[in-house]
């Protein structure tokens, strides 16, 4: 099996993917600048919620971000053309890291996937063919790659879809609540389409088709007899999501992985008809052993294990969010809430006035519904008053959170000074309370009330 992983195969799929990857990142960078996404998330802000441990990135969140996204666009072109590829792809991945780890206000799973693939591409010879580098330096030109390169992408994509499937097996998805709330909140579609979206049968159909697609798409792509059916299903699924959910480049990014599921020779014949056809007959590529053993084996183990960490943390991840991020729990729920903080001067024991609007814009205030963000906010408040020479305790006295439009419950223990607590990404925090809906809560009645609210909002 080890020897089979190093068998030579045609490298056309990796080369084509490199071109797609560069185009997608270029579209992401240009779109973020043109549509003012950079302004909303980095420029027109007082502070930001970075990934915990990456608070130092706040120093870059000013007009410097225009430069960073401009450089992302330039590096994307370099990747696409295969020009100074190694430098371009490393620069692209590092620059995207500054963006991805620098903010959680506009969190999307596909930003994480884009970062992971950038990391993978740093170690692969994707410029060995159809690149400016290969034209300028023929010694790097190769028509082959080891079989494991293709398998790395297939395993990575499998992780995304398998964990997305498993996560959907919970009551609010299975009874159509999630898709109902999702569709009823859409106002950017024609009236005729809205009528369809309001039908319970359609909402349930989409919910179960989501499970079926995520669970079956990888096996269907791998099996020759179902591969083209899977391609058509992928086109329908991702274009539907692109139109209705408006989730940027992700649908097209997801489609680009299809090149790794076809036999390499088919990709060569379709995209590079003039490329020399070679038969490798079991020859092995021994020049990539070290990269595979010491980077990709540990990498894939992490990718398989990281998404299951929430199974070993106390509480329901849907409520606590502990272990939610980086786990491919995609489009699973709506979450809303609000938090009010009590700030106490430790020296005088008096309460100090504070309003969330002093530090946050409206969108950031709406993100105060997960424990990690609330904890970060408490520390931001502490630092805010520290700059004024005051040492304070910070309590979340009102933390009202609702999942999937159910009645709100208190999320945070109001007696705990959050500014004195430490964060651990792999354990439960006792100051996160259990979800406790009202005793007289009627599920079916609440669904009807939610639908009325959505209609009234329209």
């Amino acid at each position: 099996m080890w020897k089979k992983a190093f068998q030579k195969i045609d490298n056309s799929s990796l080369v084509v993917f490199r071109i797609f990857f560069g185009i997608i990142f270029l579209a992401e960078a240009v779109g973020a600048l043109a549509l003012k996404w950079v302004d909303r998330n980095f420029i027109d802000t007082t502070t930001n919620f970075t990934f915990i441990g990456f608070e130092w990135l706040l120093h870059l969140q000013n007009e410097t971000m225009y430069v960073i996204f401009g450089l992302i666009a330039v590096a994307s072109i370099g990747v696409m053309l295969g020009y100074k590829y190694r430098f371009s792809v490393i620069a692209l991945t590092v620059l995207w890291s500054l963006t991805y780890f620098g903010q959680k206000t506009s969190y999307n799973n596909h930003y994480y996937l884009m970062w992971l693939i950038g990391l993978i591409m740093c170690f692969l010879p994707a410029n060995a063919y159809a690149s400016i580098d290969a034209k300028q330096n023929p010694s790097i030109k190769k028509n082959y790659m080891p079989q494991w390169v293709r398998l790395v992408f297939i395993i990575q994509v499998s992780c995304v879809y398998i964990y997305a499937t498993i996560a959907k097996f919970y009551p609010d998805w299975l009874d159509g609540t999630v898709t109902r709330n999702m569709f009823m909140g859409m106002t950017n579609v024609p009236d005729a389409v809205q009528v369809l979206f309001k039908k319970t049968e359609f909402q349930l159909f989409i919910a179960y088709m989501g499970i079926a697609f995520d669970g079956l798409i990888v096996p269907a792509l791998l099996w020759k007899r179902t591969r083209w059916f899977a391609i058509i299903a992928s086109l329908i699924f991702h274009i539907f999501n692109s139109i209705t959910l408006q989730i940027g480049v992700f649908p097209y990014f997801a489609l680009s992985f299809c090149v790794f599921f076809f036999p390499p020779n088919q990709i060569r014949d379709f995209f590079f008809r003039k490329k020399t056809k070679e038969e490798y007959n079991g020859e092995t590529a021994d020049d990539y052993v070290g990269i595979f053993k010491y980077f990709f084996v540990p990498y894939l183990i992490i990718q398989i294990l990281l998404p299951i960490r929430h199974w070993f943390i106390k509480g329901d991840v849907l409520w606590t969010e502990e272990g939610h991020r980086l786990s491919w729990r995609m489009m699973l729920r709506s979450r809303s809430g609000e938090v009010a903080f009590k700030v106490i001067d430790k020296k005088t024991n008096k309460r100090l006035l504070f309003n969330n609007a002093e530090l946050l814009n409206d969108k950031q205030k709406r993100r105060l519904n997960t424990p990690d963000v609330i904890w970060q906010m408490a520390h931001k408040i502490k630092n805010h008053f520290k700059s004024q020479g005051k040492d304070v305790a910070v309590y979340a006295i009102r933390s009202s959170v609702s999942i999937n439009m159910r009645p709100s419950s208190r999320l945070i223990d109001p007696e705990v000074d959050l500014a004195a607590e430490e964060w651990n990404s792999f354990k439960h925090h006792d100051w996160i309370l259990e979800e406790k809906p009202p005793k007289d809560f009627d599920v079916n009645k609440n669904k009807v009330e939610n639908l009325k609210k959505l209609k009234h909002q329209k």
Side-chain angles (χ1 to χ4, degrees):
M1 182 175 179
W2 181 266
K3 185 177 180 180
K4 190 173 182 179
F6 285 90
Q7 286 182 351
K8 292 181 179 180
I9 61 172
D10 188 274
N11 63 356
S12 294
S13 54
L14 178 62
V15 174
V16 171
F17 183 79
R18 183 204 80 218
I19 297 169
F20 288 163
F21 186 65
I23 292 171
I24 287 165
F25 250 114
L26 177 62
E28 179 68 32
V30 172
L33 289 168
L35 299 176
K36 304 295 183 180
W37 187 92
V38 175
D39 297 70
R40 292 192 300 273
N41 288 282
F42 295 110
I43 311 299
D44 302 332
T45 57
T46 301
T47 185
N48 219 328
F49 295 111
T50 67
F51 274 68
I52 294 172
F54 288 85
E55 290 77 14
W56 57 274
L57 289 175
L58 292 172
H59 297 296
L60 298 175
Q61 296 186 6
N62 45 48
E63 283 73 14
T64 304
M65 296 305 298
Y66 294 136
V67 178
I68 288 174
F69 271 81
L71 291 174
I72 288 175
V74 172
S76 299
I77 295 173
V79 170
M80 178 179 63
L81 299 178
Y83 178 67
K84 297 191 180 300
Y85 171 75
R86 196 70 57 193
F87 175 80
S88 295
V89 74
I90 291 174
L92 176 59
T93 304
V94 171
L95 291 166
W96 185 250
S97 299
L98 304 180
T99 298
Y100 175 67
F101 292 106
Q103 65 87 30
K104 293 189 291 190
T105 304
S106 297
Y107 179 83
N108 279 307
N109 278 281
H110 72 263
Y111 295 159
Y112 175 45
L113 184 60
M114 290 169 72
W115 179 74
L116 289 177
I117 299 302
L119 187 62
I120 288 174
M121 295 290 282
C122 289
F123 294 89
L124 299 180
N127 62 331
Y129 186 81
S131 69
I132 294 176
D133 288 348
K135 185 175 182 179
Q136 293 180 340
N137 182 12
S139 65
I140 71 168
K141 187 173 182 179
K142 293 179 181 178
N143 291 338
Y144 71 87
M145 65 183 182
Q147 176 80 263
W148 63 257
V149 171
R150 177 172 175 253
L151 296 177
V152 163
F153 285 97
I154 291 174
I155 293 171
Q156 178 66 79
V157 172
S158 298
C159 285
V160 175
Y161 283 117
I162 289 171
Y163 287 119
T165 304
I166 294 171
K168 289 181 174 65
F169 282 92
Y170 84 100
D172 282 4
W173 186 277
L174 297 175
D175 69 5
T177 295
V178 176
T179 48
R180 181 181 303 113
N181 292 344
M182 187 187 303
F183 288 137
M184 293 300 289
M186 289 182 183
T187 58
N188 59 329
V189 294
D191 292 342
V193 177
Q194 288 191 39
V195 171
L196 177 64
F197 283 178
K198 291 177 183 178
K199 293 185 178 295
T200 301
E201 296 82 3
F202 181 76
Q203 294 159 359
L204 286 169
F205 170 76
I206 293 298
Y208 282 89
M209 283 303 296
I211 293 175
F213 180 85
D214 288 347
L216 298 175
I217 190 61
V218 170
L221 284 168
L222 287 171
W223 192 25
K224 181 179 179 180
R225 293 185 178 182
T226 56
R227 186 172 295 132
W228 278 107
F229 174 80
I231 292 294
I232 294 171
S234 294
L235 285 169
I236 295 172
F237 178 82
H238 288 299
I239 291 175
F240 175 81
N241 285 345
S242 177
I243 295 171
T244 59
L245 302 180
Q246 297 184 350
I247 48 178
V249 301
F250 178 65
Y252 310 99
F253 186 39
L255 286 169
S256 68
F257 289 102
C258 291
V259 296
F260 293 106
F261 290 88
F262 284 89
N265 292 344
Q266 286 188 19
I267 299 298
R268 177 195 63 202
D269 293 343
F270 186 83
F271 287 97
F272 303 117
R273 295 183 180 181
K274 295 182 179 181
K275 187 179 182 182
T276 303
K277 297 181 180 181
E278 298 183 26
E279 297 296 333
Y280 298 107
N281 299 318
E283 294 179 45
T284 57
D286 298 328
D287 44 344
Y288 300 105
V289 176
I291 292 174
F292 180 71
K293 286 172 60 177
Y294 300 112
F295 176 76
F296 281 104
V297 170
Y299 171 87
L300 292 175
I301 291 172
I302 291 171
Q303 286 302 303
I304 291 169
L305 295 180
L306 191 62
I308 67 173
R309 70 193 186 281
H310 68 84
W311 296 351
F312 301 94
I313 300 175
K314 178 184 175 182
D316 182 357
V317 63
L318 192 71
W319 174 249
T320 68
E321 294 273 315
E322 294 171 307
H324 170 82
R325 299 187 193 276
L326 317 185
S327 297
W328 310 120
R329 298 176 54 79
M330 301 180 287
M331 304 298 291
L332 280 179
R333 83 288 183 267
S334 59
R335 191 177 181 104
S336 59
E338 59 179 357
V339 177
F341 294 95
K342 180 174 71 174
V343 183
I344 302 296
D345 189 323
K346 290 184 178 180
K347 184 176 181 180
T348 64
N349 206 35
K350 291 183 178 179
R351 182 170 180 174
L352 303 174
L353 294 177
F354 176 79
N355 189 300
N356 293 336
E358 293 181 41
L359 295 178
L360 307 180
N361 59 32
D362 289 341
K363 186 173 183 178
Q364 290 172 329
K365 285 188 287 184
R366 291 195 295 270
R367 293 297 180 266
L368 288 173
N369 56 46
T370 61
D372 61 329
V373 173
I374 294 171
W375 176 85
Q376 285 179 288
M377 184 61 182
H379 283 259
K380 288 182 182 294
I381 295 171
K382 182 180 178 69
N383 291 332
H384 174 67
F385 282 98
K386 184 179 181 179
S387 67
Q388 302 174 18
K390 299 174 182 178
D391 185 19
V392 301
V394 183
Y395 304 88
I397 56 171
R398 186 176 73 248
S399 54
S400 178
V401 173
S402 170
I403 306 295
N404 295 332
M405 300 184 71
R406 295 197 298 266
S408 299
S409 294
R410 173 172 278 173
L411 179 65
I412 307 298
D413 186 341
E415 302 299 322
V416 174
D417 175 11
L418 294 180
E421 295 291 319
E422 298 293 328
W423 183 266
N424 189 318
S425 298
F426 295 93
K427 61 171 285 189
H428 176 65
H429 301 82
D430 292 333
W431 42 265
I432 302 175
L433 302 176
E434 294 182 12
E435 184 180 16
K436 293 181 179 179
K439 293 181 180 179
D440 58 349
F441 174 53
D442 185 316
V443 176
N444 293 321
K445 181 180 179 181
N446 187 66
K447 289 178 181 176
V448 173
E449 292 175 351
N450 286 338
L451 292 178
K452 289 181 179 177
K453 288 179 183 178
L454 286 168
K455 290 178 181 179
H456 178 69
Q457 291 171 3
K458 292 183 178 183

